[in-house]
Amino acid sequence: MEDWLKVAVCYWHSFNWPGTDIFGGGTLNRPWLGATVTQAMADAKLDAAFDFFARLGVRYFCFHDVDAMATAATLKEHDQNLRKIEAGIAAKMAATGVKLLWGTANLFSHPRYAGGAATSPDPEVYAWAAAQVRCCLEATHRLGGENYVLWGGREGYDSLLNTDLKRELDHYGRFLSMVVEHKHRIGFKGTILIEPKPFEPTKHQYDHDVAAVFAFLQRYDLTKEVKVNIEVNHATLAGLDFEHEIAAARAFGIFGSIDINRGDPRNGWDTDQFPNNAQELVPSMLQLVEDQGFVTGGFNFDAKLRRQSVDPVDLYLAHIGGIDTLARALLAAVDVAADGGLARLKRERYQGWDDELGLRIAGGALTLAALADLATERGFDPVPRSGRQELAESMIARHSKY
Ligand code: XLS
Ligand code: NI
Ligand code: NI
């Protein structure tokens, strides 16, 4: 179960977020945070984070460059500060055995990125982003990270009136190609992942959902190089089921990893909550079972506490509850798979496609006219058949007993 779930704690929401929201200040006791983070503050944060990872007993963590390091004013300083904290991270990893699921550069918080990073109208901003990604990709590589993530937080627009969509997409495609080229240049063996999200903070993000990302990757010839990191609530925000996003990614051959934080179906924003409904996750978990687990991915808790969860124990309770939810969903999914009923139902539903007619059509042996003639000659008169949806749903419910 540990190997299959590959649970990761995220550095940012857990240690780099004081509990602010747009109407109020921090509520959580995070003494190492401030407008300017000194090296001593970054080190205190590192101590607290790895103490938490080790006590919780998880095997992985994820981080953004700026979550972990001391504040930097210039690119030179950025490189130096990131290297300093990288040394600290490496020592903690060696001491605790905790591994890096993925690293990522924060290309959205600093005011310079208000108009985007890889889609900025200003090439100097674009160059800053390139420098940050270079530093962070190299640090991730040296730390033995298993993936590198790009979430296009501000790769999108607020208004098309001032946005050259085609130009921005071309720049973004070029950016990603440079990242891939650099990955190979330094010998990074992990997977490059894009994290789709439809909006927030921008009105429209180019990496809207898995299908949009795949179209983008095709356009810039990157389908063999880049996969996706799917977040539950980003699917919800896109008006899609989480399991749909996984199924689409698997169909396109770009499934990579998961951010398992959920949203609230009544809220239209990213509430980043810990998962607590195992049954809801079973259809997604079943797909992971069919794949026999992740290749390089894992389950990252990109989740934050509620602002009133002010006790240190709340961070433990949140993660333990979330991990138990994943465990329950996995046990249920394994039972559903072992039962075999759902697989049989699907096989029987598509039976015709495994027979002579289906094989000839799908194999490309017939033209439209030939198929039309054949249907007419044979006098096809197909009878409607049940899709058995209620039975399929009850198979999930029946096995969700953990
Ligand atoms: C924001 C994203 C972000 C990425 C990492 O909505 O989920 O946290 O996972 O940059
Ligand atoms: Ni998110
Ligand atoms: Ni995320």
Side-chain angles (χ1 to χ4, degrees):
M1 186 173 269
E2 196 177 27
D3 289 343
W4 277 43
L5 296 181
K6 292 180 66 186
V7 169
V9 174
C10 84
Y11 210 97
W12 51 102
H13 294 318
S14 295
F15 300 97
N16 207 45
W17 175 67
T20 44
D21 71 9
I22 49 172
F23 294 103
T27 55
L28 309 176
N29 181 21
R30 301 285 184 267
W32 47 80
L33 295 183
T36 301
V37 177
T38 62
Q39 188 60 41
M41 288 154 93
D43 289 341
K45 195 194 301 179
L46 182 71
D47 284 344
F50 272 83
D51 180 63
F52 177 76
F53 304 157
R55 284 174 199 255
L56 187 64
V58 290
R59 284 214 317 232
Y60 289 93
F61 77 107
C62 298
F63 81 112
H64 291 97
D65 48 3
V66 301
D67 306 330
M69 57 186 259
T71 309
T74 63
L75 269 175
K76 262 206 186 101
E77 237 176 69
H78 179 95
D79 189 18
Q80 284 163 2
N81 292 359
L82 184 58
R83 277 174 189 274
K84 258 186 230 157
I85 204 69
E86 180 196 324
I89 292 176
K92 294 281 185 192
M93 287 172 70
T96 56
V98 175
K99 298 190 285 187
L100 178 59
L101 185 64
W102 46 264
T104 185
N106 178 325
L107 307 178
F108 45 86
S109 292
H110 194 279
R112 85 172 64 84
Y113 295 123
T119 58
S120 170
D122 182 347
E124 290 191 13
V125 173
Y126 186 101
W128 240 96
Q132 252 188 273
V133 170
R134 179 208 181 156
C135 290
C136 193
L137 180 59
E138 291 180 359
T140 300
H141 176 46
R142 286 189 295 266
L143 291 170
E146 300 186 13
N147 305 272
Y148 183 83
V149 166
L150 293 118
W151 170 58
R154 295 191 195 271
E155 314 301 9
Y157 58 81
D158 292 321
S159 169
L160 268 183
L161 294 177
N162 63 2
T163 302
D164 188 335
L165 183 144
K166 172 160 191 326
R167 212 167 179 173
E168 293 200 354
L169 283 172
D170 286 347
H171 296 164
Y172 193 14
R174 180 67 204 126
F175 192 89
L176 206 54
S177 300
M178 290 193 287
V179 173
V180 166
E181 187 269 334
H182 196 69
K183 164 200 161 155
H184 292 301
R185 180 189 296 256
I186 64 176
F188 178 58
K189 295 282 178 277
T191 312
I192 304 283
L193 302 170
I194 285 194
E195 184 174 320
K197 184 173 182 180
F199 51 81
E200 197 210 70
T202 62
K203 173 194 166 81
H204 176 94
Q205 286 187 201
Y206 294 130
D207 304 324
H208 190 274
D209 54 23
V210 169
V213 169
F214 186 65
F216 172 80
L217 295 176
Q218 274 186 315
R219 166 107 175 112
Y220 299 101
D221 202 17
L222 291 163
T223 53
K224 300 273 175 297
E225 297 284 357
V226 180
K227 294 186 167 29
V228 282
N229 181 45
I230 299 169
E231 181 166 310
V232 181
N233 191 47
H234 296 179
T236 309
L237 291 175
L240 301 166
D241 291 330
F242 175 45
E243 57 262 37
H244 167 90
E245 289 294 76
I246 298 179
R250 290 172 76 220
F252 301 142
I254 57 167
F255 177 61
S257 197
I258 287 174
D259 274 7
I260 195 59
N261 46 302
R262 67 179 172 91
D264 182 314
R266 287 206 304 108
N267 279 345
W269 72 86
D270 205 359
T271 56
D272 286 329
Q273 287 173 259
F274 286 84
N276 59 5
N277 185 335
Q279 187 171 333
E280 204 171 79
L281 290 175
V282 175
S284 305
M285 205 56 98
L286 198 53
Q287 300 188 61
L288 194 74
V289 171
E290 281 167 13
D291 279 356
Q292 306 274 301
F294 291 104
V295 180
T296 61
F299 282 104
N300 172 41
F301 282 90
D302 188 2
K304 50 176 180 281
L305 295 170
R306 297 309 89 189
R307 289 180 77 233
Q308 296 177 65
S309 304
V310 295
D311 293 339
V313 71
D314 288 317
L315 195 60
Y316 287 90
L317 297 174
H319 281 88
I320 292 165
I323 294 166
D324 282 351
T325 299
L326 286 184
R328 290 196 174 95
L330 179 58
L331 288 173
V334 167
D335 282 359
V336 173
D339 174 287
L342 258 190
R344 203 177 320 116
L345 189 152
K346 256 195 203 173
R347 217 171 32 246
E348 286 170 2
R349 192 153 183 253
Y350 291 89
Q351 182 55 52
W353 290 96
D354 291 328
D355 293 342
E356 184 243 340
L357 174 66
L359 289 172
R360 283 180 69 201
I361 300 172
L366 298 167
T367 60
L368 186 73
L371 181 56
D373 288 346
L374 187 147
T376 313
E377 278 157 27
R378 293 202 197 166
F380 286 159
D381 185 16
V383 186
R385 287 188 306 144
S386 168
R388 293 273 187 275
Q389 183 174 330
E390 292 80 2
L391 176 64
E393 287 163 351
S394 75
M395 285 176 182
I396 298 292
R398 190 192 312 157
H399 290 293
S400 299
K401 57 178 181 282
Y402 297 99

